[in-house]
């Protein structure tokens, strides 16, 4: 027998994972209108919007990385928090079983995935008491790629491009601009930032994350911070990092800043970076019945239209695996490709494994996809892809060039780009790096026609296993070619020059 509270919490998790809130939709829509049609940024944003529409229609995860489920609960005095936490855990387990959450809870020492999102410290649940006769539950599903782009500064400090950041408002300004710059496209820009000024190392980050629970439409009650928020939103977009780091007018979609007292020796500026897939919602429950009284962040609806302009597939180059070296060497940065045939997923565990072992399948001429999908098995034992966007490729930088060479891989698909070692490796071995649109997990799941098989499922768990996927019309953009060109390097260099333009003091 399930309880009303369980049902309400399951609805909250499902809606948070599959249906972006109106304020976030509005910010994305504004960005979509800003970018010129046909540019890489516009293609990326249109793909993102297409993905948001599909996720809502099909009630499937917007992005395959459903993050670290984090619940903030406010409840009346005397409310049974222990029982409610059990309800949260049961709802998390069920949402995972239904494929609304990816099994994401991993033991750091053994590497074992618990399979149900429950484990030491997961999910995260924070309780606060209040004197209202209602229970408020807020949930954020913040993925790992953007979490990795969080950053904390201890003032005073020296910042690339901006020079000295002192213990004052202008130093804070510099830190926040640097935080956006250092994220580049890797946290699936265009993103949102929550900033915490003050506190200690722990509470500073806590404060930064708290800002992500503010509505994007609110105005900071502190006029100085309101001014800083507006300034950052405006100037960060001058960096022209753009969606997915492809270059473009929109880099930041929202900025919220909070302040908390510090102790004399410490002066922290903590920044929580959230990808465009900004999944946070909330409900207010009846404390006696557990029934939903109303939803939070949903006061006015915002419909998005499925765009007609995403990838221009008529001018795209079809790559069918196995791909020849000759075909790869013809590709250059900016080309749009459509992949068909078999691709193999491989992320952190697989790269580590392949350095020392043989591959379970022949990878020569093959396509390696940096992806940890959401998968469900039906009653016949057939696997189905429920969400399958790319993961951040830079984590594989130490291994990638060696693995390409060792196995004769011709194309690596991921997001956010890779470094110099991989760039040289692509040149040497005749391979390309293809950027897929981060977070577009429904869009790419629809390109998968069949699951041909899986290896290392038991050993590494669903996200880290090697899935063999038959795809058709899978679009991506060449962002690193076999001639030594890298769009990521160019955008990083150009945005550093633009960051330097913002060096002069503003808040004095
Ligand atoms: O883990 C993933 O699938 C993606 C991750 O959130 C990332 O952005 O790299
Ligand atoms: S893949 Fe991108 S959109 Fe998805 S959680 Fe990671 S950073 Fe966010």
């Amino acid at each position: 027998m399930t309880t009303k509270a369980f049902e309400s919490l399951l609805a909250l998790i499902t809606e948070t994972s599959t249906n972006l809130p109106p304020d976030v939709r509005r910010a994305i829509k504004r960005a979509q209108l800003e970018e010129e049609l046909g540019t890489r940024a516009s293609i990326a944003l249109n793909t993102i919007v297409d993905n948001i529409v599909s996720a809502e229609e099909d009630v499937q995860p917007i992005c395959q990385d459903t993050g670290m489920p984090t619940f903030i609960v406010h409840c009346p005095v005397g409310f049974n928090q222990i029982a409610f936490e059990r309800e949260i855990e049961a709802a998390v387990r069920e949402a995972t079983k239904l494929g609304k959450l990816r099994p994401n809870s991993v033991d750091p020492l053994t590497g074992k995935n618990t399979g149900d999102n429950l484990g030491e410290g997961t999910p995260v649940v924070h309780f606060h008491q209040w004197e209202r006769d209602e229970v408020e539950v807020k949930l954020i599903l913040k993925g790992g790629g953007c979490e990795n782009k969080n950053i904390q500064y201890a003032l005073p400090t020296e910042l690339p491009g901006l020079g000295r950041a002192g213990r004052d408002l202008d130093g804070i300004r510099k830190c926040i601009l640097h935080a956006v710059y250092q994220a580049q496209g890797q946290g699936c820009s265009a993103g949102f930032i929550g900033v915490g000024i003050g506190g200690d190392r722990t509470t500073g980050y806590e404060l930064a994350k708290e800002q992500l629970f503010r509505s994007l439409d609110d105005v900071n009650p502190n006029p100085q911070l309101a001014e800083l928020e507006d300034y950052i939103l405006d100037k960060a977009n001058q960096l022209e990092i753009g969606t997915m780091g492809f270059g473009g007018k929109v880099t930041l979609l929202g900025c919220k800043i909070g302040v908390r007292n510090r102790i004399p020796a410490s002066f922290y500026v903590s920044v929580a970076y959230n990808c465009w897939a900004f999944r946070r919602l909330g409900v207010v429950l009846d404390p006696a019945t557990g029934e939903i009284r109303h939803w939070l962040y949903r006061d006015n609806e915002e419909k998005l239209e499925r765009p007609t302009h995403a990838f221009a597939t008529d001018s795209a180059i079809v790559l069918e695996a196995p791909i020849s070296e000759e075909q790869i060497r013809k590709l250059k940065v900016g080309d749009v490709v459509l992949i068909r045939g078999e691709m193999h997923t491989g992320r952190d565990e697989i790269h580590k494994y392949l350095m020392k072992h043989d591959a379970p399948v022949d990878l020569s001429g093959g396509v390696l996809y940096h992806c940890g999908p959401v998968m469900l098995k039906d009653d016949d034992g057939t696997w189905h892809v429920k969400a399958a966007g790319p993961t951040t490729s830079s984590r594989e930088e130490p291994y990638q060039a060696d693995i390409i060479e060792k196995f004769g891989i011709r194309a690596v698909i991921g997001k956010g780009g890779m470094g110099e070692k991989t760039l040289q490796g692509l040149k040497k071995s005749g391979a390309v790096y293809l950027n897929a649109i981060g977070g577009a997990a429904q869009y790419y799941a629809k390109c998968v026609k069949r699951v041909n098989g899986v290896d290392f499922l038991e050993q590494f768990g669903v996200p880290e296993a090697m899935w063999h996927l038959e795809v058709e019309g899978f679009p991506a953009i060449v962002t690193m070619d076999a001639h030594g060109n890298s769009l990521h390097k160019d955008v990083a260099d150009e945005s550093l020059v633009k960051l330097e333009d913002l060096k002069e003091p503003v808040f004095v």
Side-chain angles (χ1 to χ4, degrees):
M1 252 293 277
T2 59
T3 64
K4 257 285 160 243
F6 167 86
E7 284 168 26
S8 300
L9 289 163
L10 183 58
L12 173 63
I13 298 167
T14 305
E15 286 295 295
T16 309
S17 174
T18 64
N19 193 349
L20 274 190
D23 57 342
V24 176
R25 285 167 180 252
R26 267 195 296 281
I28 292 172
K29 202 174 189 171
R30 275 198 297 273
Q32 204 188 4
L33 292 174
E34 288 241 343
E35 300 291 1
E36 209 173 306
L37 221 59
T39 55
R40 284 186 287 261
S42 168
I43 293 172
L45 278 163
N46 281 330
T47 308
I48 285 168
V49 171
D50 190 293
N51 185 75
I52 296 168
V53 174
S54 293
E56 183 186 0
E57 273 175 15
D58 302 340
V59 198
Q60 296 296 341
I62 294 158
C63 175
Q64 76 289 338
D65 185 3
T66 53
M68 173 72 94
T70 303
F71 295 83
I72 314 287
V73 184
H74 283 84
C75 54
V77 177
F79 184 75
N80 189 337
Q81 299 181 2
I82 296 169
F84 197 72
E85 190 159 354
R86 277 195 210 116
E87 298 280 16
I88 289 178
E89 285 169 3
V92 164
R93 185 187 291 119
E94 184 64 12
T96 311
K97 216 164 106 192
L98 296 172
K100 310 302 175 194
L101 294 178
R102 183 177 71 183
N104 256 3
S105 176
V106 180
D107 181 321
L109 300 181
T110 64
K112 194 83 195 146
N113 190 317
T114 63
D116 60 5
N117 267 314
L118 302 183
E120 198 59 47
T122 49
V124 175
V125 185
H126 294 296
F127 281 102
H128 305 277
Q129 289 191 343
W130 64 6
E131 290 181 324
R132 285 197 223 163
D133 188 30
E134 55 189 13
V135 180
E136 181 192 82
V137 189
K138 289 181 173 174
L139 169 62
I140 189 164
L141 299 173
K142 184 176 186 292
C146 59
E147 183 71 7
N148 290 347
K149 287 295 155 193
N150 291 1
I151 187 163
Q152 191 167 57
Y153 303 89
L155 293 179
T157 188
E158 277 296 315
L159 295 170
L162 294 167
R164 207 174 83 86
R167 292 184 146 204
D168 51 30
L169 199 56
D170 206 63
I172 294 165
R173 172 191 75 89
K174 287 186 176 180
C175 293
I176 307 173
L177 287 172
H178 181 266
V180 178
Y181 158 77
Q182 61 87 43
Q184 290 289 308
Q186 294 183 357
C188 289
S189 56
F192 301 85
I193 51 172
V195 181
I197 304 169
D200 59 21
R201 286 215 183 265
T202 311
T203 61
Y205 264 134
E206 230 168 54
L207 179 63
K209 277 205 175 165
E210 260 171 40
Q211 303 308 305
L212 295 176
F213 283 100
R214 282 172 53 193
S215 160
L216 290 171
D217 305 322
D218 75 0
V219 177
N220 200 315
N222 177 328
Q224 232 179 355
L225 295 184
E227 195 188 341
L228 186 58
E229 287 175 359
D230 289 345
Y231 168 90
I232 295 289
L233 199 50
D234 178 34
K235 298 297 184 224
N237 286 322
Q238 286 183 17
L239 297 176
E240 295 193 0
I241 293 163
T243 300
M244 298 316 300
F246 288 169
K249 295 191 183 119
V250 187
T251 300
L252 194 66
L253 297 168
C255 171
K256 298 288 168 189
I257 307 173
V259 66
R260 190 174 272 182
N261 283 5
R262 59 181 178 85
I263 49 174
S266 310
F267 195 135
Y268 296 113
V269 178
S270 314
V271 182
Y273 188 96
N274 206 106
C275 49
W276 66 261
F278 186 11
R279 291 154 289 174
R280 60 108 172 79
L281 270 180
V283 283
V284 169
L285 305 179
D286 183 308
T289 65
E291 217 146 346
I292 297 176
R293 281 185 181 159
H294 59 91
W295 287 82
L296 301 170
Y297 306 107
R298 276 192 168 168
D299 15 352
N300 36 21
E301 212 190 348
E302 182 69 41
K303 277 278 158 213
L304 290 175
E305 303 263 326
R306 195 184 287 283
T308 45
H309 300 278
F311 282 96
T313 44
D314 37 348
S315 57
I317 301 158
V318 176
L319 292 181
E320 180 156 7
I323 313 168
S324 71
E325 180 173 351
E326 193 196 351
Q327 201 179 4
I328 289 296
R329 292 215 183 257
K330 280 191 200 143
L331 295 173
K332 49 187 193 319
V333 163
D335 287 344
V336 172
V337 299
L338 283 179
I339 299 151
R340 61 182 307 196
E342 197 177 46
M343 62 170 67
H344 314 277
T345 68
R347 50 183 296 164
D348 310 66
E349 292 287 357
I350 295 291
H351 280 75
K352 194 169 135 217
Y353 179 91
L354 290 179
M355 290 296 280
K356 295 217 178 102
H357 303 88
D358 276 344
V361 293
D362 181 9
L363 294 174
S364 58
V367 179
L368 182 66
Y369 185 22
H370 295 160
C371 169
V374 178
M375 303 293 295
L376 281 188
K377 207 191 219 172
D378 66 20
D379 294 341
D380 304 336
T382 311
W383 284 103
H384 298 276
V385 178
K386 292 289 156 191
T391 190
T392 318
S393 301
S394 57
R395 295 193 307 271
E396 318 316 337
E397 180 64 10
Y399 321 108
Q400 199 66 81
D402 297 335
I403 285 173
I404 287 173
E405 189 174 1
K406 180 172 170 190
F407 297 100
I409 291 165
R410 292 277 170 236
V412 171
I413 312 172
K415 59 134 174 139
M418 304 191 75
E420 196 52 37
K421 189 175 171 208
T422 302
L423 194 58
Q424 292 313 320
L426 297 177
K427 205 167 168 180
K428 184 175 175 210
S429 305
V432 279
Y433 176 82
L434 306 172
N435 206 116
I437 311 306
Q442 290 309 311
Y443 187 84
Y444 288 113
K446 285 180 195 293
C447 299
V448 180
K449 299 302 152 204
R450 201 175 52 243
V451 180
N452 290 341
V454 59
D455 283 288
F456 309 114
L457 180 58
E458 271 308 301
Q459 206 171 334
F460 298 148
V462 169
E464 299 273 359
M466 185 180 240
W467 296 92
H468 311 296
L469 308 175
E470 194 73 24
V471 303
E472 177 71 51
F474 185 110
I477 302 181
V478 178
T479 53
M480 293 168 70
D481 62 25
H483 312 287
N485 303 308
S486 165
L487 174 69
H488 308 282
K489 190 168 174 294
D490 294 349
V491 171
D493 291 348
E494 286 158 20
S495 57
L496 180 60
V497 174
K498 295 190 172 107
L499 188 68
E500 280 165 2
D501 290 343
L502 301 168
K503 190 173 178 171
E504 290 312 310
V506 176
F507 296 99
V508 281

